[in-house]
Amino acid sequence: MSRDSDDADAPADTAAGAPLPGTLPEALGAELIDFRRDLHRHPELGNQEFRTTAAIKERLEQAGLRPRVLATGTGLMCDIGTDTAYGDGTAPLLALRADIDALPIPDTKTVEYASVVPGRAHACGHDVHTTVVLGAGLVLAALARNGALPRPVRLIFQPAEEVLPGGAADAIESGVLDGVGRILAVHCDPRVDAGRIGLRTGAITSACDRLEVELDGPGGHTARPHLTTDMVTAAARVALDVPALIARRVDARAGLAVTWGRLSSGHICNVIPQRAELSGTVRCLDLDAWRKAPDMVHAAIDEVATLHGAKSQINYVRGVPPVVNEADSVTLLKDAMTARRGVHSVEDTEQSLGGEDFSWYLEEVPGAMARLGVRRPGELGRYDLHRGDFDVDEQAIKVGVELFTAAALLSAELLP
């Protein structure tokens, strides 16, 4: 399936010698940027994406498609090309997945499309993912009308990716994978230049769980800490010592890491509080270590809390396993990007400690996720995910659309 060429920078051609169809028309490209900016102005949290769902549905219906809202009430799916010669129900579909929810953080950018919803922002690029899949669907629908789509495609717009254990499980329960033979996705990567993608066979993300801890003790006067449980010190030791203990109880190559995002205790300077709360995440690169993590984390917290006279209550919330990219699907994405922009538009990427519920789809069908470059030239390291100032080079939308359309056209080689 590889299309290596003597001219490594030139996009590959089809076997017939003609450029691969399915490029993004200029007018549609401008419309998609406007669509993304509208989503960016109106971010919605997981399972609350009613406006977003309605906007996607309306645009797909304008194109003559028949999207179906998921049983959860937000998110939707839409099939393309099922009324063609390959749409008799026997050909497996290629699914293209986007996540549509935002984050509960303020948008701190000074741009005209900044969020108008206080405390809400598309700080992870889901507005871009959504726009890319929408745009690919509109281009593929035009190809299908002209008889140029070799296999049917399903668009999946999934809610609640940011809500552990992720909305993917509910989407699967709603039937989004029924009849699907392969699934693809992209995720914005501010470390990769716009116009490029990052690929990796095998695990490309980590597992991610949520951890909540309550510590309790008698409390008392700060003049007599020896007569009480010094709760602030106990919480501080849990925060510091538990990650260190975990690091010594598992193979370092597993990448098991406990990281705290919140620590709260007390209300006044001269009172030792009776209670402290900590919350954070447990991330892991290795699937086997992830399965053992809850017991190890429980034991470490109990040990440290007991040493300091505190009682611990632990809420360990299972999240998502690693996203493990399947080799043929990675090859499909590589060939699709090479066909559009040449071999130098694809780079190897490392496994990250970020979690992604796309992993649940890959427990059911083969597939892969690509890292979509969104970094603007000259802005090395300026933006990062899950920050209020996160933004993208909007040329990445065109790149993502054309990557997916090329993959849909080339997927017939993988889908029987």
Side-chain angles (χ1 to χ4, degrees), residues 114-274:
S115 171
V116 298
V117 183
R120 306 286 185 266
H122 268 296
C124 199
H126 294 188
D127 54 334
V128 174
H129 306 164
T130 299
T131 304
V132 164
V133 172
L134 173 65
L138 297 175
V139 173
L140 292 172
L143 291 175
R145 287 193 295 270
N146 294 326
L149 184 64
R151 285 291 187 272
V153 173
R154 173 168 294 162
L155 313 179
I156 300 172
F157 299 92
Q158 176 213 305
E161 190 276 332
E162 298 287 357
V163 182
L164 287 178
D170 291 334
I172 293 169
E173 184 69 22
S174 293
V176 298
L177 290 183
D178 294 350
V180 169
R182 191 171 302 276
I183 187 167
L184 304 175
V186 294
H187 196 295
C188 290
D189 192 337
R191 303 166 301 171
V192 178
D193 287 340
R196 299 170 64 87
I197 63 169
L199 289 175
R200 177 185 176 90
T201 301
I204 193 172
T205 70
S206 79
C208 180
D209 299 334
R210 188 173 76 242
L211 179 61
E212 299 169 344
V213 181
E214 293 183 5
L215 302 177
D216 289 292
H221 200 295
T222 57
R224 293 177 288 277
H226 58 291
L227 300 179
T228 71
T229 294
D230 188 347
M231 190 57 63
V232 174
T233 297
R237 296 319 310 181
V238 168
L240 289 171
D241 293 347
V242 168
L245 282 174
I246 294 298
R248 290 296 179 267
R249 295 180 178 180
V250 67
D251 190 324
R253 291 170 294 184
L256 181 59
V258 176
T259 305
W260 305 106
R262 187 179 72 89
L263 191 160
S264 176
S265 186
H267 300 284
I268 192 170
C269 68
N270 63 346
V271 175
I272 295 176
Q274 295 179 319

Side-chain angles (χ1 to χ4, degrees), residues 37-56:
R37 292 184 176 189
D38 180 69
L39 295 185
H40 202 86
R41 290 188 192 96
H42 302 93
E44 297 174 299
L45 299 185
N47 295 316
Q48 301 174 23
E49 312 96 331
F50 297 103
R51 183 186 186 279
T52 302
T53 297
I56 300 165

